[in-house]
Amino acid sequence: MIEFETPSRRALLTAIGKAGGTLALYQAMTALGHAAPTQFSGPPKLAGAKPGASVIILGSGLAGMAAAYEMSKAGYKVTILEYQDRPGGRNYSVRGGDVIKETSGTVQHVRFAPGNYLNPGPWRIPYHHQALLHYCQEFGVALEPFVQINHAGYIHSADAYGGKPQRFAEVSTDFKGHVAELLAKAVNKNALDDTITKEDKDKLLEAMRGWGVLDKNMAYTSNLRTSAQRGFDRPPGGGVNGAPTPSEVAGLTDVLDPRVWQTLGLYLNTTMQTTMFQPVGGIDMIGKAFAKKLAGKIRLNSKVTKIAQDDASVTVDYEDVVTGKKAQAKADFCVCTIPLPILSQIEVQVSNAKQAAINSLPYQSSCKIGLEMKRRFWEQDEQIYGGHSFTTQSISQLSYPSTGFFKPGPAVVLGAYAGGAAAYQFAGMTPEERIETALNQGSVFHKQYREEFSNGVAVAWSRLPWITACASSWTDDLRKTHYQDLVSVDGRVVLAGEHCSYIGAWMEAALLSSIDAISRLHQRAVAA
Amino acid sequence: MRQAGRWHGRLAIAAGVLSLCGAGAPTLAQSLGDTSSVGPSTARSTTGEQTYRDICQACHMAHAEGGVGAGRVPALAGDPHLSDPDFVLARVLHGQGGMPAFADMLSAEQIAGVTNYVRTHFGNAYTGTITAGDVRRRSTDAASD
């Protein structure tokens, strides 16, 4: 269906571009949903709050803290209740000395060297997540580049290249070369004559020759030109032995392994495109910056047990998880950011439709493993500076630190980033088994792995008692039935968080959802 | 006629690509968020017990005792809900709360196997065996609802 729409939309944009110039074209593209990957249009404008109006916010993740920060600025009296003993929610980093408790009672003690960390949840920021970047700038959170695509990283498939990892530059060049050669063959056999004009045929052949680095016979072969993209056996040098020798291109069958095109395709998603950023020192620098602005407004260790509302106010029952003391908090309005696996077990006084939405949305899990290595062998021995290696094994990928390049001493690699079924496979293991599995599988990339390993930590989201899952898992059908009910203002209560967005598990989702929720709640408050 | 055939061909290819990808694949990375870029999304277990160890104990724990934190992870041990096989199948196929939909992560055989396993272990002794055919019927019914 999209195929039918495309020409008319393109024709329209071309016409607009011709008539009104670039700015008009950009505005039109934005209106049509192109070229604006975030909906952020500045912080919310909440003018005219009634004096003394109060809001209770449940959860101190980014959604809750953004709501508290903006509503507080607008003149509301805000209080946050937080279940954990720290603010931040999923905006979370672990460092040496930290303790990770699992629902099973299992405890991990993080033993990383000072300065090293693992971001168990969010860890990278797309350049177009402008709401998040806005707050980072407002709070002075220092950002540095997150190395995303790295042509020196590896791709490993158990079913291709004899199970031997290949550099990204090698497989990406080979994939492109073989596809170009095949397309050129099809064109030259006149197989596409009913589809393209003679003129386009010539242009396409020229493009395939250049883009695919084909030889004069339109074949993808081993030579110095293809090696200039995929790498040489002996790279160009100086002096007597300066002449390079080419590398051998791989055959078509290996190149067609799904892991190859899936990895090439990954970087095409707008959320995966460069430039990406990370906060210097750990992702939780963002949550900490928010929390600093909300000093005295966050009550930690508070487990919400009931949310009730009437015509005049919202009443939240909660329990101090340290002292066991029960208490009640009253406010005019409530912003609830509690993740749904937890909220669905709390008595909430909302419409049946909203309750059904809260009950119906399932969550997915994830597992990240941080492995501290004694030295940066990936940099020192293999010239890999940041970025990722991908595998068909359950660890899914290995990511190298985007910071501290060339430093001597220990550094932490992400030794597993497991989703889908693999997230549960890791969660069911003991932390020691998880790390052992990650070491086993990661050794396929780096023979130094075992010898250089110092210590590790494995965070399985489904075992974290404060959330029991990782992130919401919408389907088109669920959205049709429940999304609007989930995000609607219900009396004096509104929900916010990544689960109330079309973005999914990104920090931008928490912020955009929160800004939208408090803007609507504010309208309701002013109108009341 | 010729035109229509070509569009259908492209749609068929697009559908094929999607079905290959599974839950952790890059085409879905945007809709699911940044919870894992790529990677295997299906389990390889063959018996119900293996599937339980491989997948279910991640949350329900080794002895199906569940757990308590901010919320409760349901115990499956001695759980009267399990007397209804349709209840179990609905949960496994579509998920709820902290539980994901396993329809794309487990095969019909794996779902039947693990459903039978939990209904007859951990202090549960419910009768009635679920077959892979039952699972397929149940997921098709839900899809056409």
Side-chain angles (χ1 to χ4, degrees), chain B residues 8-30:
Chain B
H8 284 152
R10 289 192 197 176
L11 288 176
I13 290 166
V17 167
L18 281 177
S19 69
L20 272 174
C21 294
T27 44
L28 296 179
Q30 271 181 298

Side-chain angles (χ1 to χ4, degrees), chain A residues 182-194:
Chain A
L182 289 170
L183 185 53
K185 270 184 186 153
V187 168
N188 282 328
K189 281 182 179 170
N190 306 323
L192 302 180
D193 282 6
D194 63 345

